[in-house]
Amino acid sequence: MFYRFFIFAGLISPHLTCKDSELVTKWTLWDSPGPGLAATVHVPVKEEIHGWAVELTFNKEFSKLQFFNGLTQASEGSFFNITNESWSGDKKPGDIIAFSLLGDYDAGAADEAINIVKIGFNGQTICEV
């Protein structure tokens, strides 16, 4: 049974993306005005922490991006480091870090859809395409 699962996972994994993982619970795109993206990210907590940082790297450049329930210095570009609000840093195993984002991006090459190509959590990669 394990052998069949391993073969199946090996066949589909090259086609999975971070946006299609359990880490992204909402993914809404629009064309006008825009193009734009609204998404929600959920990161499971496996150990007690007193502060967090989630790094998102996109394959497209954002001209404007806002985050909700997380802080970041950047509002444009393709890399964003989102940190906890003063009230949301303490987490215990089983908790979920959840934040949303909303913004406009440059479509660039039309044959490549927007995607999160890397998600990091407190310095560790948890998804990478």
Side-chain angles (χ1 to χ4, degrees), residues 30 33-38 58 60-68 72 74-78 80 101-106 114:
W30 62 87
L37 168 68
F58 291 88
K60 305 284 184 176
E61 293 283 323
F62 279 85
S63 58
K64 173 180 66 177
L65 189 61
Q66 296 176 310
F67 289 89
F68 306 92
T72 185
S75 62
E76 56 187 39
S78 62
F80 301 89
L101 56 98
L102 175 70
D104 298 326
Y105 63 92
D106 179 11
I114 187 168

Side-chain angles (χ1 to χ4, degrees), residues 113-129:
I114 187 168
N115 188 20
I116 302 171
V117 295
K118 185 175 181 181
I119 301 175
F121 173 56
N122 285 352
Q124 301 294 317
T125 298
I126 56 176
C127 182
E128 188 167 20
V129 177

Side-chain angles (χ1 to χ4, degrees), residues 11-28:
L11 291 174
I12 65 167
S13 62
H15 303 289
L16 291 178
T17 62
C18 291
K19 75 174 184 64
D20 296 321
S21 73
E22 71 280 356
L23 301 171
V24 179
T25 60
K26 175 185 174 185
W27 188 265
T28 304

